Amino acid sequence: MSVSILQNLWKNTPPSSLNHLQKYWLNRSGALTAGLRQLGKVKIHILNESPSPMCEEDKIALQQPHTTVIWVREIVMSINDLPCVWARSITPIQASQSVWRGIRHLNTRPLAEILYDDPRIIRSHFEVSCIHPASVLYPALQRYFPEQVHQAHYARRSIFYKNAMPLMVTECFLPSFWALPNLQRV
């Protein structure tokens, strides 16, 4: 996959074809978990926590050498037992053992617990994408949500920095999220 195609998968603004509610959630600031809790009881299920080689898409986003090994944490957040958001957090392996070591000890607690109380942490702007088969995220969607893979999956990502070390968080809204009956009231 060419670098230019990978760079074009993510945009600074949601597509104009999306409705107001979709744009709101894709740009919502603060901890996503806090917003989800307004919709119902949130549970976090860990899907994967492991080291992984860095792919080209992640290398571009994190501006790290291609040989960098990353720590990957993948979870699904359910609202009232309905899987609604799949999230993937990555950081260089050495950062997961130092600056971002908290990511390895969260278990089923939200990542927000280590991100929003430390004034040394800064967050980049959001980038938004409709998950494309060329994306590193697509095979995971196929693996975890095979019945939903042919539907549109909109995701947002941002990078948190602490002591210049990146932690990229990608949150993919599953089709079931957009069908929540009380979504309009938040």
Side-chain angles (χ1 to χ4, degrees):
M1 181 70 40
S2 78
V3 171
S4 63
I5 291 173
L6 290 172
Q7 288 172 327
N8 288 325
L9 290 177
W10 293 91
K11 303 289 184 191
N12 290 331
T13 58
S16 59
S17 60
L18 296 183
N19 65 43
H20 172 74
L21 199 58
Q22 291 169 313
K23 290 176 184 176
Y24 167 79
W25 283 98
L26 288 166
N27 280 316
R28 185 187 179 282
S29 62
L32 180 61
T33 312
L36 299 180
R37 286 185 175 138
Q38 295 176 21
L39 302 172
K41 184 176 179 176
V42 175
K43 287 184 185 172
I44 294 175
H45 306 278
I46 299 168
L47 301 172
N48 174 44
E49 289 183 302
S50 64
S52 176
M54 181 172 278
C55 69
E56 190 68 24
E57 183 177 342
D58 293 337
K59 175 186 164 270
I60 292 168
L62 295 180
Q63 298 179 0
Q64 295 287 310
H66 191 68
T67 56
T68 301
V69 175
I70 55 174
W71 180 258
V72 179
R73 180 178 192 252
E74 295 172 307
I75 64 162
V76 65
M77 291 183 274
S78 297
I79 301 172
N80 300 330
D81 296 320
L82 180 67
C84 289
V85 177
W86 170 69
R88 177 179 184 259
S89 304
I90 65 169
T91 191
I93 197 85
Q94 66 270 30
S96 77
Q97 297 165 339
S98 60
V99 168
W100 294 113
R101 68 181 166 274
I103 193 174
R104 289 182 171 231
H105 305 290
L106 287 170
N107 297 313
T108 58
R109 294 183 335 236
L111 184 59
E113 287 188 12
I114 66 171
L115 295 178
Y116 293 98
D117 292 331
D118 188 336
R120 296 172 296 168
I121 297 173
I122 59 170
R123 185 183 202 174
S124 73
H125 64 277
F126 284 115
E127 292 182 314
V128 176
S129 180
C130 183
I131 303 306
H132 184 276
S135 172
V136 66
L137 304 176
Y138 193 80
L141 285 174
Q142 286 181 309
R143 183 171 54 255
Y144 299 131
F145 311 102
E147 70 285 351
Q148 298 182 32
V149 77
H150 298 294
Q151 299 176 50
H153 290 79
Y154 288 96
R156 67 185 200 166
R157 73 180 185 186
S158 61
I159 302 174
F160 294 84
Y161 294 92
K162 183 175 179 181
N163 298 341
M165 294 301 292
L167 170 68
M168 184 165 65
V169 178
T170 304
E171 297 153 327
C172 179
F173 295 89
L174 301 173
S176 53
F177 175 79
W178 305 113
L180 288 171
N182 56 345
L183 192 61
Q184 299 286 340
R185 290 180 282 188
V186 174

